[in-house]
């Protein structure tokens, strides 16, 4: 590790975004700049969190997985061959840790509350509390019929938002420009599956 940079020194990631920003942070963190780790955690924890929740983990277990993944990154920071591939590394590490802690009883939780709320906003699903359980079951069944690629893409983009498209594209090995159109097709397919489940109302 190199010497810690002074607080007043201009950070090397300033003015950068996406993979360039994260790569600069990885290099700086290796040199002992603790601010770089703070930036990475702030930027990429939402991505790690949504991957963990997307694998059916409850909030408490997901928090443990997120912490474990960041600790694993700290241990492997010097061995990360390609700093620009950090988001992809985090997604893979989170998947593995989530699968290690996953149990069949958690399957129904795989459609997280956050995703259900976002999809409800997309499609105007019913607000009546008496219909929520039935709606969630149908939504989960419809979601479960999507391809793995669509499930993963919706988990990351519906939850993480457009600001994360660059990291999502990297993590899923997709061109950034194809994220939006593919997301639209996945949502259309989801709606068709919902209709087959008896509609959204």
């Amino acid at each position: 590790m190199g010497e810690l940079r002074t607080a007043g020194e201009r950070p090397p990631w300033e003015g950068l975004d996406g993979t360039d920003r994260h790569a600069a942070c990885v290099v700086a963190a290796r040199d002992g700049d603790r601010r770089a780790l703070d930036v990475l955690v702030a930027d990429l924890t939402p991505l790690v969190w949504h991957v963990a929740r997307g694998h059916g983990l409850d909030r408490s277990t997901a928090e443990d997985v997120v912490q474990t993944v960041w600790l694993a990154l700290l241990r492997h920071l010097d061995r990360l061959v390609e700093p620009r591939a950090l988001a992809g590394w985090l997604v893979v590490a989170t998947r593995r840790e989530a699968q290690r802690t996953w149990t069949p009883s958690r399957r129904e939780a795989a459609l997280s509350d956050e995703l259900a709320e976002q999809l409800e906003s997309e499609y105007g699903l019913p607000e009546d509390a008496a219909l929520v359980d039935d709606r969630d079951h149908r939504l989960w069944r419809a979601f479960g019929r999507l391809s793995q690629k669509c499930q993963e893409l919706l988990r990351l983009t519906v939850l993480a938002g457009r600001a994360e498209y660059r990291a999502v594209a990297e993590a899923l090995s997709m061109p950034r420009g194809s994220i939006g159109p593919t997301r639209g097709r996945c949502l259309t397919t989801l709606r068709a599956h919902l209709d087959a489940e008896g509609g959204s109302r």
Side-chain angles (χ1 to χ4, degrees), residues 1 18 26 43 58-60 87 109 117 122 129 137 150 153 167 188 194:
M1 291 283 188
V26 168
D43 282 6
D58 58 42
R59 184 172 295 274
S60 177
E117 289 169 7
E122 290 266 355
H137 283 302
C150 274
L153 182 60
T188 297
L194 265 176

Side-chain angles (χ1 to χ4, degrees), residues 52-85:
R53 287 284 277 170
H55 277 75
L57 305 183
D58 58 42
R59 184 172 295 274
S60 177
T61 307
E63 288 172 352
D64 290 342
V65 166
V66 170
Q67 182 176 18
T68 299
V69 168
W70 282 116
L71 289 173
L73 177 65
L74 285 176
R75 290 195 301 269
H76 293 87
L77 199 59
D78 290 329
R79 286 178 279 171
L80 191 63
V81 177
E82 177 49 72
R84 290 176 59 85

Side-chain angles (χ1 to χ4, degrees), residues 88-99:
W89 187 95
L90 288 171
V91 168
V92 171
T94 306
R95 281 182 194 143
R96 289 176 178 168
E97 184 61 20
Q99 288 165 359

